[in-house]
Amino acid sequence: MPKVQVDRGAVKFVLSGANIMCPGLTSKGARMDTDLPVDAPVAVLAEGKEHALALGKRRGWIIPASRFAIQNDDHAQQNAGSSSRDMGDKGSVLIKERNVPKHREFEVNLFARNDADWRIRLVLSSYSFAANGGGEFPDGLSDCALYKGAQGMAGCKGVKYSPAYDVNGCEYSVLKVNQWLDGVYTRVHRDVAIVNAMRVWMGLPKATNAGLGLAAECL
């Protein structure tokens, strides 16, 4: 019988009768490696356990891990009601936790994971919403200073311009002298440790700052 696997945290919910959705089969510790047709019987295993904890049928197609993209960041995770969850020990959302060492560790681990056939692994340069509640892109088009209308400016939740590309930009540019900068791109894709982890995953040799076109002071 075909098998899928949920992570440890899902066990009590499955045993309580919860439906198993795609996120429960794609988290770290879970497995979903086989294409299954509709109504195919399937055994549901649990991370670290030998025997199945449930039997069931597919209600639709299972998409294998090789077709999914895994990542740590998405600016939309700041929105109220976002489907994104607290990753706990599975990952880190930089703009939510604002913990650079923890985030860097998970970004490097993103390319070392072998718990499933993850073929699309993303490193995203994200940004945090403005302190005033403004949640638009920091492209300068949502800056309240651009407003020329006759109405008052009270309550305007603008976002100032922050360049997406900076030839001298280094990693984690959102943090300066231990101060978090709202509306500034994180540029985690310019972190040498993260880039080299990606290169190793792709079968390429590690590179130096100069080889990556980064300034010498970038970590």
Side-chain angles (χ1 to χ4, degrees):
M1 179 181 292
K3 300 179 179 65
V4 295
Q5 178 173 300
V6 296
D7 62 33
R8 289 186 178 88
V11 173
K12 64 179 179 180
F13 299 104
V14 175
L15 292 176
S16 297
N19 291 328
I20 303 172
M21 310 299 283
C22 281
L25 296 172
T26 58
S27 62
K28 188 174 182 181
R31 298 191 71 90
M32 189 177 66
D33 300 333
T34 307
D35 278 323
L36 297 175
V38 176
D39 291 331
V42 60
V44 181
L45 305 181
E47 179 184 8
K49 302 298 182 181
E50 180 180 358
H51 303 293
L53 75 153
L55 299 175
K57 285 186 176 182
R58 283 296 304 141
R59 293 185 177 179
W61 288 95
I62 280 189
I63 302 176
S66 60
R67 300 185 189 177
F68 277 87
I70 58 173
Q71 64 186 59
N72 280 304
D73 293 306
D74 181 346
H75 72 275
Q77 289 165 319
Q78 299 169 95
N79 286 318
S82 170
S83 60
S84 302
R85 59 181 175 82
D86 179 6
M87 292 185 176
D89 63 350
K90 309 299 184 187
S92 174
V93 182
L94 178 64
I95 50 180
K96 290 178 70 175
E97 298 185 300
R98 302 188 177 187
N99 185 328
V100 169
K102 178 182 178 182
H103 184 267
R104 179 184 280 115
E105 180 180 354
F106 275 111
E107 287 285 78
V108 170
N109 185 57
L110 190 74
F111 296 100
R113 286 180 59 172
N114 57 11
D115 53 307
D117 185 21
W118 308 111
R119 300 186 186 181
I120 307 173
R121 311 185 186 203
L122 305 178
V123 172
L124 302 180
S125 180
S126 190
Y127 63 91
S128 60
F129 292 165
N132 64 9
E136 302 299 326
F137 291 96
D139 56 8
L141 300 180
S142 300
D143 191 338
C144 290
L146 298 175
Y147 178 66
K148 305 299 183 184
Q151 300 297 323
M153 295 286 290
C156 179
K157 298 181 178 180
V159 179
K160 294 185 179 298
Y161 173 69
S162 177
Y165 174 72
D166 179 356
V167 67
N168 296 314
C170 290
E171 74 295 325
Y172 295 100
S173 53
V174 73
L175 191 66
K176 295 295 184 184
V177 195
N178 294 321
Q179 181 178 358
W180 189 267
L181 305 177
D182 292 315
V184 174
Y185 288 102
T186 59
R187 295 193 175 87
V188 296
H189 63 292
R190 296 177 72 86
D191 183 274
V192 177
I194 295 172
V195 172
N196 277 329
M198 180 190 296
R199 290 177 64 88
V200 170
W201 173 63
M202 296 175 65
L204 300 173
K206 292 184 178 181
T208 62
N209 286 40
L212 294 172
L214 299 175
E217 61 268 21
C218 293
L219 299 178

